[in-house]
Amino acid sequence: MAKCPECGGEMISKSKRKICETCGLSLTGSQYDSAWDKIRDSARDEEDTSRKRNREYLNWYESSKN
Ligand SMILES: [Zn+2]
């Protein structure tokens, strides 16, 4: 079952388009794929940012011991 990239609701296929039953978003197959690609990219960016923050915090912790 396809999931809506906007609200996470279930999407139904209708004449080569996917339509969200919850928010009414209507996407073609390629729009649907690129919308999810974008979400995956931004999720990866957020992961990188928090990992960087942890490393900076660790650096601060290590240097504060001296
Ligand atoms: Zn939706």
Side-chain angles (χ1 to χ4, degrees):
M1 181 59 82
K3 270 195 181 293
C4 174
E6 288 288 323
C7 72
E10 289 192 351
M11 299 191 90
I12 52 167
S13 295
K14 216 179 210 178
S15 58
K16 290 186 182 174
R17 295 183 76 87
K18 293 182 193 303
I19 296 156
C20 177
E21 288 184 306
T22 306
C23 73
L25 183 74
S26 168
L27 298 170
T28 65
S30 62
Q31 283 174 329
Y32 176 80
D33 288 340
S34 69
W36 274 112
D37 280 349
K38 229 172 276 176
I39 290 168
R40 265 193 294 269
D41 283 350
S42 68
R44 202 164 43 219
D45 286 349
E46 279 169 31
E47 199 178 290
D48 286 348
T49 306
S50 71
R51 205 177 292 145
K52 192 168 169 246
R53 202 179 300 134
N54 286 344
R55 199 170 54 231
E56 280 167 7
Y57 183 75
L58 193 64
N59 286 342
W60 168 83
Y61 175 74
E62 292 292 334
S63 65
S64 71
K65 280 197 300 191
N66 299 321

